[in-house]
Amino acid sequence: MKAEIITIGDEILIGQIVDTNSAWMAEQFNLNGIEIYQITSVHDDHQHILEALKKAEEKVDLVVLTGGLGPTKDDITKNVLCDYFNTKLVFHEPTFEQIKKRFTKFKIDINKLNRDQALVPESCSVLYNKVGTAPGMWFEKNDTIFVSMPGVPFEMKYLVEYQILPRLRESGKTKAIYHKTVLTQGVPESMLAIKIEKWEDALPKNIKLAYLPNPMSVRLRLSAIGVDAEGLKKQVDTEVEKLQQIIPDDIYGFDNETMAEVAGRLLKQQGKTLAVAESCTGGYISHLITSVPGSSEYYKGSVTAYSNEIKMNVLGVTERALEEFGAVSEQVAREMALGVKNAFRSDFAVATTGIAGPGGGTKEKPVGTVWIAVAGEKKVFARKFVLGNDRERNIIRSGQTALQLLRRVILKGL
Amino acid sequence: MKAEIITIGDEILIGQIVDTNSAWMAEQFNLNGIEIYQITSVHDDHQHILEALKKAEEKVDLVVLTGGLGPTKDDITKNVLCDYFNTKLVFHEPTFEQIKKRFTKFKIDINKLNRDQALVPESCSVLYNKVGTAPGMWFEKNDTIFVSMPGVPFEMKYLVEYQILPRLRESGKTKAIYHKTVLTQGVPESMLAIKIEKWEDALPKNIKLAYLPNPMSVRLRLSAIGVDAEGLKKQVDTEVEKLQQIIPDDIYGFDNETMAEVAGRLLKQQGKTLAVAESCTGGYISHLITSVPGSSEYYKGSVTAYSNEIKMNVLGVTERALEEFGAVSEQVAREMALGVKNAFRSDFAVATTGIAGPGGGTKEKPVGTVWIAVAGEKKVFARKFVLGNDRERNIIRSGQTALQLLRRVILKGL
C-alpha cells in the first residue's frame, strides 16, 4: 500500500514550526508496511488543497491529511473535503456530546465555533477522537482511502494509533516490513561503499540498503519488505551478521543508539567508572554522557579547564608540560586525563585540548588542532586531529571522537 | 516571488529523520520576501523527481532542491537534472580541486566516487560549496530558477546564505525587507501583549509584528517590507527604541543572541570571570558558555559533580549539608556555587543540582525539582524550580534559567 501525507497550514511553510508530525506518521506507516510515496505541505488555500488531493489520488492508495480542522476561520479543510467528495456538512450528535463532555470537564462555556466542530461531511465515517474536540474522518473513493486529522500532535497520534492503523490492519492493507540501521564510524562513505561492495551487490532483492552519512558517522539502513514479519527480521539479521564479519571494527552500534550510550553500556557491563577533563570541548562531552538516563551509575563527573591555571590547580597538569609543549599538546592532554582520573578516582578518563576557533590558531597549531587522550586502566593513549574552522563543528566532532576512542580502549581492555 | 522546496531522499519518507532543513529554508526565504508555496518530499526515484520538478515549474518562480548529491549509488539527483534540462554531466575542474584540497587536508585518499562528485550538468552554474565536496547548482529555464544543494544541513545552510540568497538579491528578485527580533524574558506572551498593546497598535502599516514564544522566552520579530533597505532599518530601529522605553527590564538581547552571549558580554565589559558547578545539567551550562567564541576571556571553567563524593572532594560541599538536606537542596546548591567560585578564583559562579529524570524522583522531590544558585561578588542567591518529566527538556531549561539568573545578578551588581 502506498500513501501520501498532506499537511495543511501556514506554520510549516513560513518556517515557524518544524514538521515533526510527518516524520512520526511516516515511521508508523512504514512500520506497518505502508510506503510513504510523498509528503506535501500546502497552505490553508481551498484550490491548493483540492489540487493536492487530486494529484495524490492519482498516485496512492491512502491519502493522510492533517491540519485545518480547528474552530477558526482559517481552518477550511472540512469545506474542501465536502467540495472534493461532493457532499455537505451535517451535524454529528455523538461528536457534539464528546465536545460538551470535554468543555464541562474543563469548565468552559460552549460557543458557536465549538458547536461547529461537530459538523462533519455527510459521506465520511467519523473517527472518534478521545483526546480532543475535532474528530477524525475516513472517506473512500474508488480504490483510495482518505483520512483527515487535526494537526495537534497528540490528537493526530491518538487517531493514527487507535483508529486508522487498526482499521487498515483489519482490511488487510498493511504489509510486513523490517528496518535495521547499522552505525559505523571512522570510514568515509565512499571508502565504506568500496569495502562492502560485494556484500551490497549480493543482498537479496527485497532488501534495500541506504547510506545515511552525517559529520560523525555513516549509518547503513537495511529495509526488507515481504509478507512474513518474522522471516524478514531473520533475513535482515543474517545480512547484518555477514556485514559484521566484513567490518567488525567500524560498527559501533545499531538503530538510534548514540556513542555516549554505547560507551556507557560498556562501562556499566564492566562495573567501571568514567571521568572527563575538557578544554576545547568545554563541557560538551560531559553533556553527551549525562544526556543518557542512568549515567550516574558509571559517570563521576568532569572538569572543564578553560585556563592554564585551572589545568594546573584542579587537574594537576605540570607547569613544565604547559611551558615546554603548550596547552594544546599530547603531553598536556595525557596529564589532563590522568589528572582527572586521579582526582575523581575513576577507572577511565577522557581529555581534550585544542583550538576550537575561530581565534587562537597559530601557524604551527592552526584552528581545528585537537589532542584527545584516553586514560585506560593500564595505559594512556593520545591522538591528534586536525579538524576544520567552524567552532561548533569542531566541538561536536572532538566530543564524538573522544567517546569513540574511549569505546575502543574499553573494548580492548587497555 | 514564489518558491517550492523539494527534498529528495528516503530518510524523511520513512520517518528516520525530521525535516528540519525545510523549516530553516522556509524561514530564510520568507525573511527575504520569497513565499514558500509548497514543500514536497520525494524518494530517490528518477521518475518521481522528474514529475515533482515539472509540477513545481508550473506553479513557482524558484524551485529549491536538496538531497541526493552524495557519492553513492542511491544519489541520483544530478542524473535527473541532466534529464530534465536535456544536458549531460561534465567534469568541473574547480570543484575537483576543491575536493582534492579537502581530502588532502583530512589525509584521505581520493577514489573514483569522490572524483565523480566533480561531475556537474553542463548547463548549470556551479555554486561553490566551501564546506563540503558536493557543489550547489543553479539552472534557469524559461522564467523559473532551479537550485540544487546537498541535504547535509550545514552545507545547505552555507549555500543558501552565501550563494543563493546573494544571487537572488542581485537579480532583484527579493524584496527589500528588514527584520529585527527583540528577545524578552520573564513575561508570558499574553501579559507582554497587554504591556505593549499601544505601541503595537501604533506601528506603521508596513511593519509586521510576530510573537514567537518558546519555552524559555518570547521573541518579538518586527518585519518591515518596502523598497529602500536603509529607510526600513531606520524605521524599525526607531520602533525598537520606543519599545525599549516601555519594557527595559524584559528585553535581554536582539536577533540570534543567546543568553550565554549576553551574559558573556556583560562579564567581558566588566572584566569579570565566571565558573560553573553542575550536577543535573551535567556539563550543559559549560557547553553553552564555551559555544561562544572568545569565551576563554571570561570563563575559567567548570566542575560536573555527578556524585556526592565529587561534590565534597572537588567542590568542598559539606557532608553535613548533603546528609541533612540531601544533594538536591538549597544548601548544597549554595555550597556548590561558593565551592567552585573559591576553587576557580572567579568573580561569579553558577551551580545546579536537581533530578533530571526519568529516575531518581521521590514524593518530596519529584523528577523536575531543580535548585539553581548564583554566587555574585557580594552574595549568593538560590531559587527552586519544579520542571517536567522529560530529561532533555529539564536539562535545557535548567541551563538556560541558570544563565538568566546569572545575567540579573551581574546587571544588578550583586
Side-chain angles (χ1 to χ4, degrees), chain B residues 5 9 12 74 91 119 131 160 200-201 220 230-231 235 238 256 278 299 302 322-324 338 355 388 408:
Chain B
I5 294 170
I12 293 170
D74 53 341
F91 190 73
L119 291 174
V131 294
V160 169
E200 185 176 350
D201 289 342
L220 298 169
E230 266 307 297
Q235 211 190 4
T238 306
N256 292 319
E278 309 192 53
Y299 187 54
S302 74
L322 286 164
E323 274 180 8
E324 198 169 324
L338 277 175
I355 302 143
R408 289 197 197 150

Side-chain angles (χ1 to χ4, degrees), chain B residues 99-153:
Chain B
I99 295 171
K100 276 201 290 196
K101 238 167 67 187
R102 287 189 74 78
F103 275 69
T104 311
K105 189 173 163 201
F106 296 121
K107 301 198 171 79
I108 304 169
D109 289 331
I110 295 187
N111 64 29
K112 186 187 171 300
L113 292 179
N114 307 129
R115 207 186 130 85
D116 285 354
Q117 292 211 275
L119 291 174
V120 297
E122 193 168 23
S123 69
C124 81
S125 313
V126 174
L127 304 175
Y128 171 55
N129 176 1
K130 192 182 163 186
V131 294
T133 48
M137 291 166 266
W138 174 290
F139 300 85
E140 294 185 19
K141 189 184 167 196
N142 304 325
D143 283 329
T144 306
I145 295 165
F146 296 74
V147 292
S148 169
M149 297 177 277
V152 182

Side-chain angles (χ1 to χ4, degrees), chain B residues 367-408:
Chain B
V367 167
T369 306
V370 177
W371 275 97
I372 298 175
V374 180
E377 291 186 281
K378 298 164 197 157
K379 281 183 182 176
V380 187
F381 300 84
R383 248 182 88 182
K384 184 184 168 181
F385 296 85
V386 182
L387 308 173
N389 287 311
D390 185 276
R391 182 181 185 85
E392 195 191 333
R393 256 183 300 150
N394 287 342
I395 293 173
I396 292 173
R397 290 194 65 167
S398 305
Q400 297 285 1
T401 306
L403 290 173
Q404 219 177 91
L405 295 179
L406 168 68
R407 171 183 163 263
R408 289 197 197 150

Side-chain angles (χ1 to χ4, degrees), chain B residues 136-205:
Chain B
M137 291 166 266
W138 174 290
F139 300 85
E140 294 185 19
K141 189 184 167 196
N142 304 325
D143 283 329
T144 306
I145 295 165
F146 296 74
V147 292
S148 169
M149 297 177 277
V152 182
F154 66 86
E155 297 188 35
M156 176 280 291
K157 287 180 187 176
Y158 170 82
L159 284 163
V160 169
E161 281 190 87
Y162 296 101
Q163 301 288 351
I164 294 165
L165 283 175
R167 278 178 191 234
L168 291 171
R169 278 189 211 110
E170 253 174 50
S171 65
K173 305 254 181 189
T174 55
K175 267 183 225 162
I177 201 156
Y178 183 76
H179 298 278
K180 195 170 181 97
T181 305
V182 179
L183 311 173
T184 79
Q185 212 288 321
V187 188
E189 185 180 3
S190 51
M191 264 169 70
L192 190 65
I194 293 170
K195 268 182 148 181
I196 65 173
E197 194 175 12
K198 278 189 192 160
W199 169 82
E200 185 176 350
D201 289 342
L203 279 175
K205 280 265 180 306

Side-chain angles (χ1 to χ4, degrees), chain A residues 80-122:
Chain A
V80 177
L81 289 168
C82 281
D83 197 353
Y84 193 73
F85 294 109
N86 200 13
T87 183
K88 62 178 197 292
L89 290 175
V90 292
F91 191 75
H92 189 248
E93 198 57 46
T95 296
F96 188 58
E97 287 306 313
Q98 151 80 353
I99 294 172
K100 277 201 289 195
K101 240 169 66 188
R102 286 189 74 78
F103 276 69
T104 313
K105 190 175 159 198
F106 296 119
K107 300 198 173 79
I108 305 170
D109 290 333
I110 295 188
N111 63 27
K112 186 185 171 300
L113 291 179
N114 306 130
R115 205 186 131 86
D116 285 355
Q117 292 210 276
L119 292 172
V120 298
E122 193 168 23

Side-chain angles (χ1 to χ4, degrees), chain A residues 296-339:
Chain A
S296 56
E297 278 181 56
Y298 48 81
Y299 187 53
K300 294 215 160 182
S302 73
V303 171
T304 303
Y306 234 51
S307 72
N308 285 351
E309 173 202 343
I310 307 295
K311 286 185 183 80
M312 288 190 291
N313 297 346
V314 184
L315 293 173
V317 172
T318 57
E319 202 171 344
R320 212 195 111 249
L322 286 164
E323 274 179 9
E324 198 168 323
F325 306 102
V328 178
S329 63
E330 171 168 8
Q331 196 60 27
V332 169
R334 284 174 178 271
E335 291 191 8
M336 285 173 71
L338 276 175

